[in-house]
Amino acid sequence: AWVIGAIGILLCIAYVLYAILKQVFVGTVPSGFTATIGIVTFLSSLQIFFIGIVGEYVGRIHAEVKARPTFIVDWDLSKINH
C-alpha cells in the first residue's frame, strides 16, 4: 500500500506541476478545479502511504510474535501435593 501511495503522490505532484506550467504558458486550466483535484489526490495518496507504513509495522510485529518459542504448560492437577 505504501508503494501505491508513493506513486500516487508522485503522480499528483506531476499533475500539479503540469497544470501550473499549462496555466502559466497557455492559460487554459481552470484554477479551482485543478486545486481541488490536486489537494484531494495528494491527501488521499498520503493516507494510503501512511496506512501502508502502519501495515508494514503491524506485519513485522505479527512475524515477531509468531517466531517466539512455544511453551508447554502442564495442567495435570494430580501432580500437586495437597
Side-chain angles (χ1 to χ4, degrees):
W2 69 269
V3 173
I4 293 172
I7 291 170
I9 289 170
L10 293 175
L11 289 174
C12 175
I13 290 171
Y15 173 71
V16 169
L17 289 175
Y18 165 76
I20 289 171
L21 292 175
K22 190 170 181 182
Q23 177 70 30
V24 169
F25 293 116
V26 181
T28 60
V29 178
S31 61
F33 178 74
T34 305
T36 302
I37 292 298
I39 291 171
V40 169
T41 306
F42 179 74
L43 291 177
S44 299
S45 298
L46 195 65
Q47 282 182 327
I48 292 172
F49 179 76
F50 283 115
I51 287 172
I53 290 176
V54 170
E56 288 284 334
Y57 180 69
V58 170
R60 290 181 187 193
I61 290 173
H62 179 66
E64 181 69 28
V65 169
K66 284 177 61 175
R68 290 187 177 170
T70 57
F71 296 96
I72 299 174
V73 178
D74 190 9
W75 288 97
D76 188 10
L77 297 177
S78 64
K79 295 180 181 178
I80 299 175
N81 293 330
H82 291 292

